[in-house]
């Protein structure tokens, strides 16, 4: 059996920008992605703490501290909103027993606490 588990999470990230005219995706600080084991172009789920919106998109690397929603997703957030960014992976049953996701708790400047 295979199971889908939370692989990594950026918890309480602050949205720094929302750009309707970009092609689409979420721009995330490259260093945060590396710490959380999130690859560029990887699918992520976004959970907006402020308004309850939940949606999926893909990652592109952004600048230091950047958490920017682009394209249609920009309509679902406002700069300053707190969001959760979650990535998932499929694991074999043998991997599940000792598995622990990478969870990064962020401060108001999108730095790891």
């Amino acid at each position: 059996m295979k199971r889908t588990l939370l692989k990594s999470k950026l918890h309480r990230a602050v949205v720094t920008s929302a750009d309707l005219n970009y092609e689409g995706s979420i721009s995330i600080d490259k260093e945060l992605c590396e710490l959380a084991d999130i690859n560029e172009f990887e699918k992520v789920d976004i959970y907006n703490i402020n308004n309850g919106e939940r949606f999926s998109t893909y990652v592109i690397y952004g600048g230091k501290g950047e958490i920017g929603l682009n394209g249609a997703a920009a309509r679902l957030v406002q700069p300053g909103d707190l969001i959760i960014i979650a990535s998932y992976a499929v694991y074999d049953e043998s991997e599940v027993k000792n598995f622990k996701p990478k969870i990064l708790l962020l401060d108001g400047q999108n730095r790891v606490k």
Side-chain angles (χ1 to χ4, degrees):
M1 180 187 327
K2 296 194 180 279
R3 296 183 186 260
T4 302
L5 302 176
L6 177 69
K7 178 178 67 77
S8 51
K9 176 172 79 165
L10 298 171
H11 189 74
R12 297 182 67 86
V14 177
V15 174
T16 58
S17 65
D19 184 357
L20 280 172
N21 296 313
Y22 190 84
E23 292 177 20
S25 66
I26 183 170
S27 303
I28 303 174
D29 177 330
K30 184 177 180 181
E31 184 178 319
L32 288 177
C33 287
E34 290 171 352
L35 290 170
D37 189 26
I38 298 173
N39 291 312
E40 192 165 35
F41 308 113
E42 184 172 341
K43 180 182 177 182
V44 291
D45 288 341
I46 311 298
Y47 311 127
N48 189 323
I49 295 168
N50 291 75
N51 65 20
E53 290 286 350
R54 298 169 71 94
F55 56 95
S56 298
T57 189
Y58 64 92
V59 173
I60 59 172
Y61 292 145
K64 186 77 174 159
E66 183 178 357
I67 303 290
L69 278 298
N70 304 308
R75 293 196 182 275
L76 304 175
V77 300
Q78 295 292 317
D81 282 358
L82 294 175
I83 61 173
I84 297 166
I85 303 165
S87 69
Y88 297 85
V90 178
Y91 299 90
D92 289 321
E93 194 69 30
S94 63
E95 298 173 289
V96 170
K97 187 173 185 176
N98 296 315
F99 176 77
K100 298 278 188 247
K102 292 186 180 184
I103 297 176
L104 300 173
L105 305 176
L106 304 181
D107 68 12
Q109 285 76 47
N110 292 326
R111 297 177 302 215
V112 178
K113 287 185 179 183

